[in-house]
Amino acid sequence: MIEILLSFILATSILAISPGPDNIYVLTQSVVNGFKYGLATTFGLITGCIIHTTLLAFGVSLIIKESETLFFVIKLLGALYLVFLAFKVYKSHSTINLSNEHIPKKTYGQLFKQGFIMNVLNPKVTIFFLAFFPGFLFSDTLSTVLQFYVLGFVFMAVSLIIFSTIALLSGTISDYIKSHKNVGAVLKWLQIVVFIGIAILILI
């Protein structure tokens, strides 16, 4: 149980650190407008994860009760989706683009709302949760609904810590990325390894 949760925390940490639209947006908002604006965006993004967790917890738990075979099909499709994500990362450019052009000044409330809506209305987040979480169910005795919520809140806590750190250290991180061109390549391959590793774990 502990080993599975620690593996989940490690995988979540690597994915949260790896360049993506969410953490890049937090970073650029922080660099341009100040770390408090990055934090507002972060809280909006993380709060949106509650919606996806709830949909996953009740939807997949119902499927598990109805059919183990159907649940295996979901895990298989999830594994294939993660391999597809790994391939997309492999084909993508390793350069981290920190362009801060055309970033308008917004209030904390507007950034929180935008982060929340960005997350909730992004179907890719739902699909990712569906592919990612089932491989880390950690108990034969606890209800699957409770386990999905535990995973969801662990995911949110880890992402909140890392995204908040990105906001607080935005200037230093931005300067480091600009002066170390190989950072993007390292994070790129870390993402690939994690995606493929989780895909294999789901099918074991």
Side-chain angles (χ1 to χ4, degrees), residues 39-49 111-113 115-117 119:
L39 289 177
T41 307
T42 294
F43 283 115
L45 289 166
I46 300 304
T47 303
C49 291
L111 285 171
F112 177 89
K113 181 180 178 181
F116 180 80
I117 292 173
N119 188 285

Side-chain angles (χ1 to χ4, degrees), residues 13-20 22-31 34-39 42 45 98 158-174 177 187:
S13 299
I14 293 173
L15 294 176
I17 292 170
S18 299
D22 290 346
N23 54 16
I24 293 296
Y25 189 67
V26 169
L27 180 59
T28 51
Q29 279 290 347
S30 302
V31 170
F35 75 90
K36 290 182 180 179
Y37 292 85
L39 289 177
T42 294
L45 289 166
L98 295 180
V158 172
S159 299
L160 177 62
I161 291 169
I162 291 176
F163 279 29
S164 297
T165 302
I166 288 172
L168 291 168
L169 301 178
S170 56
T172 303
I173 292 171
S174 178
I177 289 173
L187 293 174

Side-chain angles (χ1 to χ4, degrees), residues 180-198:
H180 294 77
K181 301 300 183 182
N182 63 332
V183 171
V186 172
L187 293 174
K188 173 179 176 176
W189 282 102
L190 268 176
Q191 270 187 293
I192 292 170
V193 169
V194 169
F195 282 141
I196 292 177
I198 296 170

Side-chain angles (χ1 to χ4, degrees), residues 21-187:
D22 290 346
N23 54 16
I24 293 296
Y25 189 67
V26 169
L27 180 59
T28 51
Q29 279 290 347
S30 302
V31 170
V32 175
N33 297 316
F35 75 90
K36 290 182 180 179
Y37 292 85
L39 289 177
T41 307
T42 294
F43 283 115
L45 289 166
I46 300 304
T47 303
C49 291
I50 297 173
I51 306 298
H52 297 289
T53 299
T54 299
L55 292 173
L56 179 69
F58 288 96
V60 176
S61 295
L62 182 62
I63 290 172
I64 292 173
K65 288 181 181 179
E66 293 296 323
S67 172
E68 286 288 340
T69 302
L70 184 55
F71 181 54
F72 174 77
V73 171
I74 288 175
K75 291 201 294 183
L76 178 61
L77 292 174
L80 291 173
Y81 179 69
L82 290 169
V83 171
F84 169 71
L85 290 180
F87 179 73
K88 282 189 67 175
V89 173
Y90 171 74
K91 296 293 287 183
S92 68
H93 204 284
S94 61
T95 302
I96 301 175
N97 183 13
L98 295 180
S99 173
N100 54 19
E101 297 178 3
H102 311 301
I103 297 182
K105 186 90 169 184
K106 297 183 179 181
T107 65
Y108 299 140
Q110 287 174 325
L111 285 171
F112 177 89
K113 181 180 178 181
Q114 183 177 18
F116 180 80
I117 292 173
M118 278 172 60
N119 188 285
V120 171
L121 297 184
N122 187 352
K124 291 181 180 179
V125 178
T126 302
I127 295 171
F128 177 73
F129 273 36
L130 185 60
F132 186 44
F133 282 29
F136 293 93
L137 291 174
F138 53 86
S139 174
D140 295 325
T141 55
L142 294 176
S143 73
T144 51
V145 171
L146 179 59
Q147 289 183 70
F148 278 127
Y149 269 111
V150 169
L151 293 174
F153 281 108
V154 168
F155 181 91
M156 284 183 271
V158 172
S159 299
L160 177 62
I161 291 169
I162 291 176
F163 279 29
S164 297
T165 302
I166 288 172
L168 291 168
L169 301 178
S170 56
T172 303
I173 292 171
S174 178
D175 291 341
Y176 186 85
I177 289 173
K178 290 175 182 177
S179 60
H180 294 77
K181 301 300 183 182
N182 63 332
V183 171
V186 172
L187 293 174

